[in-house]
Amino acid sequence: MADPAVKHDLEPEPHAPEVIATRIKLVRDRWGLPQTDLGTICGVGKNTVSHWEHGRQGPTVAQMHHLVQHTGLSLDWIYLGRQDGLSLATARKLGLV
């Protein structure tokens, strides 16, 4: 009998680097931002944004705080995928509703 406490699906956790990378890329695409512009907003260079989007490096909370201020996103959505802190307009822009 299978242990119900053991997770058997293959989906990554919502805070996994590759999932955060996908969210950052989605934001950049939906807001029409080149990597250079997103980097300027977050106080980093284009190469750092590329590393985030490919899951090679994770953004700091301070860097993502700048993105939150610019877009109306929430840190909970960026890091955990929680949608409850997003405005309806932001959720629509992301294609979540």
Side-chain angles (χ1 to χ4, degrees):
M1 184 167 172
D3 182 351
V6 176
K7 193 170 182 177
H8 293 283
D9 61 355
L10 298 176
E11 288 191 30
E13 295 293 327
H15 60 277
E18 64 270 19
V19 177
I20 295 169
T22 300
R23 289 190 199 112
I24 292 170
K25 176 80 168 98
L26 175 66
V27 170
R28 194 171 65 74
D29 288 345
R30 295 298 176 116
W31 267 259
L33 297 168
Q35 287 180 335
T36 304
D37 291 353
L38 180 61
T40 298
I41 291 166
C42 297
V44 299
K46 175 184 173 181
N47 289 338
T48 299
V49 173
S50 177
H51 289 304
W52 293 345
E53 291 182 355
H54 289 95
R56 291 190 292 265
Q57 175 183 347
T60 66
V61 171
Q63 291 162 339
M64 290 296 94
H65 182 70
H66 294 294
L67 184 61
V68 165
Q69 290 179 320
H70 184 81
T71 60
L73 296 168
S74 70
L75 290 174
D76 281 345
W77 181 78
I78 293 169
Y79 286 104
L80 303 172
R82 292 186 54 192
Q83 297 177 26
D84 53 333
L86 299 177
S87 71
L88 182 57
T90 300
R92 282 185 177 144
K93 191 163 189 172
L94 290 167
L96 302 174
V97 291

